[in-house]
Amino acid sequence: MTNLWIASLDAADRARLEPHLAEKTFAQGQMIYDAGEAVDQVWFPLNGVVSLMTVLPEDKMVETAAIGREGLVGVTCGPMNARASSRAIAQIEGAAACCPGDVFSRALGDSPAMRNALSRFTESLFAQVQQTAACNAQHRLDERLARWLLTLHDRADADRFDLTQSDIAGMLGVRRATVSEVGSELEGKHLIRRGRGWVEVLDRQGLEDASCGCYGAMRGVMKDLGVPKPNAPNA
C-alpha cells in the first residue's frame, strides 16, 4: 500500500478498509467531484496530486490545498457530512485506492485510532487551506509561485511534471501572462526550467529560499501532527 495514510494504520484498522478498496486511475484535469455534490467514495492517492479548488462566482476558482499519497480525498464522507465543500481536480495524473463512503464511515465509528488519524490529517489540511488563503492575499506572486511549486514537488514522483501556463494561472487565480513573467524570473535564477506544457524543478533549496514563509509553516504543521511526509525527490 503506497498510500501513506492507510500504511500508517495498524493491521486491524487496515483490515477494515483493504477488502473494500478498488484502484482507479485519474487523468490530469479530471474532476473527482464538484462542490455541493454528494461524495460517496474516499480516494486514497497512490501517486499523482489532487487539488482542492474553491469555486468563485462565474465559475472562477483558486486552489486552496493539494493532496498526494500522504492523505485522502473526500473526507466529507464522515458521519457528519457527505457533501463536498470544494471542487477536487487531478493536478498530476495518477491512481488512487477508492473506498465506499459508507464503509469508511463505519470504520471510523468502530476505531478511535482511525478517527484520531483522520483528525490529524484534516487538521493539517485545514492549516494548509488557511495558510494558502493568507498567502494568496498578502505575498508577492513570485513567492506564491515558488511555494506552490514546492507543494506540488513534494507530492510528485519526479522533478519534472506536466503543467501549462494556464494550469498554473488557474491554480493561483492570476492571468497567464503574469505567470509567464514571474516564471521567467524563477527560470532566470536557474530554480526551474520550463517547456511547452511542463515545468522542472532544478534547485529545490533555491526554490525554498525564494518562497515565502508559508511553505515552511505548512510543512511544520504536518510534522507536528505526525502526518506522513510525501516522498519528494529531493525533500
Side-chain angles (χ1 to χ4, degrees):
M1 172 54 65
T2 58
N3 177 271
L4 300 178
W5 190 86
I6 292 181
S8 71
L9 303 175
D10 62 29
D13 283 339
R14 289 198 303 272
R16 301 177 195 274
L17 301 178
E18 288 176 341
H20 307 280
L21 297 177
E23 185 170 329
K24 293 185 178 182
T25 59
F26 49 83
Q28 184 181 30
Q30 178 180 334
M31 186 186 299
I32 307 299
Y33 54 74
D34 204 358
E37 284 186 355
V39 180
D40 59 2
Q41 290 188 99
V42 181
W43 296 60
F44 300 92
L46 307 174
N47 50 57
V49 182
V50 176
S51 293
L52 300 186
M53 312 294 298
T54 295
V55 182
L56 304 171
E58 301 177 0
D59 207 34
K60 293 181 179 179
M61 56 186 179
V62 63
E63 186 196 65
T64 51
I67 302 171
R69 58 196 294 264
E70 82 284 359
L72 54 155
V73 180
V75 291
T76 50
C77 288
M80 301 301 292
N81 182 28
R83 291 194 177 273
S85 58
S86 58
R87 180 178 294 173
I89 295 179
Q91 189 60 241
I92 295 179
E93 67 177 9
C98 296
C99 177
D102 56 348
V103 171
F104 184 65
S105 184
R106 285 198 302 271
L108 289 176
D110 292 339
S111 172
M114 191 178 294
R115 292 197 298 273
N116 182 267
L118 180 62
S119 293
R120 291 198 305 271
F121 173 72
T122 54
E123 188 171 334
S124 74
L125 188 64
F126 183 52
Q128 185 182 167
V129 170
Q130 288 182 305
Q131 199 74 45
T132 299
C135 183
N136 288 342
Q138 296 294 327
H139 291 147
R140 299 193 315 266
L141 183 57
D142 60 322
E143 295 175 324
R144 291 168 53 198
L145 178 56
R147 183 263 303 165
W148 184 77
L149 289 171
L150 287 165
T151 301
L152 198 64
H153 188 238
D154 280 348
R155 293 161 176 81
D157 292 327
D159 293 329
R160 174 172 162 167
F161 25 84
D162 293 336
L163 283 175
T164 66
Q165 301 285 2
S166 294
D167 292 332
I168 300 172
M171 292 300 106
L172 296 177
V174 297
R175 295 185 303 112
R176 186 172 66 177
T178 306
V179 168
S180 179
E181 180 181 343
V182 175
S184 294
E185 293 180 18
L186 298 182
E187 195 167 24
K189 297 176 182 178
H190 306 292
L191 304 181
I192 63 172
R193 181 168 57 184
R194 300 176 299 165
R196 183 177 294 275
W198 56 268
V199 175
E200 182 179 6
V201 174
L202 298 178
D203 181 354
R204 182 180 170 90
Q205 184 57 56
L207 206 57
E208 290 189 28
D209 294 340
S211 173
C212 53
C214 293
Y215 172 74
M218 288 186 285
R219 285 291 294 265
V221 170
M222 291 180 66
K223 181 178 180 180
D224 291 344
L225 292 170
V227 174
K229 187 178 78 171
N231 286 344
N234 297 316

